[in-house]
Amino acid sequence: MPNTPRTHTILVVEDDITLRHVLILQLDKLGIRADSAANGIEALRRVHNFDYDLILMDIQMPDMNGLEAAVAIRSHEKQKQHAPIPIIAMTAGAPGVDSSTCLSLGFNDFVLKPLTLGTLKSLIQKWLGASNNNEEATNTA
C-alpha cells in the first residue's frame, strides 16, 4: 500500500464481482480510494450521495446499463448545477457500441477491457492530474 495520502475517490461500476475487486485493488496500489457499484442504478444512488472525482463504468450491466447511467448522471449534474464528473466507459466489446456512441452520451473517455495497472495510471493522470511512482503490475481487470 502506498504511503501517499488518498486525495481522490473513484467509483468503479462493474457487474462482474471479480473484475470489480481487481480494479479496486489496482486503484489501491495507485493510492486511489475506490467505491463500487454493480450496476447503473447503484451508481446513480452513489453519485447522488457522494462527490466522486472519476467514474469507471462498464457499458453492459443488468438493470441499468452504463449508457443509461451516464445519461442519468449528466442529467443529475445539470439539475443540481454540479461540475461534470469524468466518466470513463469500459467495455470488452459491446456489440454496436463504440467510442463515438459513448462520447455522444456523456462519457469522457473509452477504454477496452482488460485494463492494466498502466492503463489505469494513465487514465488517472489524464483526468485527475494525479501521478504515483508505484511499480507497474501485470495484473489485469
Side-chain angles (χ1 to χ4, degrees):
M1 188 153 83
N3 294 327
T4 57
R6 295 172 188 269
T7 57
H8 296 291
T9 302
I10 291 178
L11 178 61
V12 175
V13 188
E14 169 64 62
D15 61 319
D16 183 298
I17 192 166
T18 302
L19 293 177
R20 194 167 58 239
H21 286 307
V22 169
L23 283 167
I24 290 168
L25 289 171
Q26 288 180 320
L27 290 166
D28 185 62
K29 287 180 181 180
L30 294 173
I32 303 291
R33 181 182 180 281
D35 288 340
S36 68
N39 60 51
I41 294 170
E42 287 181 24
L44 197 53
R45 277 191 216 125
R46 289 192 176 275
V47 168
H48 284 204
N49 294 307
F50 191 83
D51 293 328
Y52 290 99
D53 299 301
L54 180 81
I55 300 171
L56 294 170
M57 182 145 18
D58 186 20
I59 293 174
Q60 293 182 297
M61 296 179 291
D63 301 321
M64 177 187 274
N65 68 39
L67 303 174
E68 296 164 328
V71 170
I73 289 167
R74 293 301 183 223
S75 176
H76 170 75
E77 290 169 340
K78 283 183 184 178
Q79 180 185 13
K80 298 293 183 180
Q81 298 180 346
H82 290 166
I85 304 164
I87 306 174
I88 313 304
M90 302 184 298
T91 184
V97 178
D98 60 12
S99 61
S100 61
T101 301
C102 291
L103 296 174
S104 72
L105 293 173
F107 285 92
N108 298 89
D109 211 338
F110 179 90
V111 294
L112 294 173
K113 294 190 281 186
L115 275 68
T116 64
L117 189 61
T119 300
L120 283 173
K121 187 175 182 178
S122 294
L123 286 170
I124 290 163
Q125 287 174 324
K126 178 178 180 179
W127 293 104
L128 300 179
S131 63
N132 194 303
N133 293 327
N134 290 336
E135 291 180 31
E136 294 293 317
T138 57
N139 295 346
T140 58

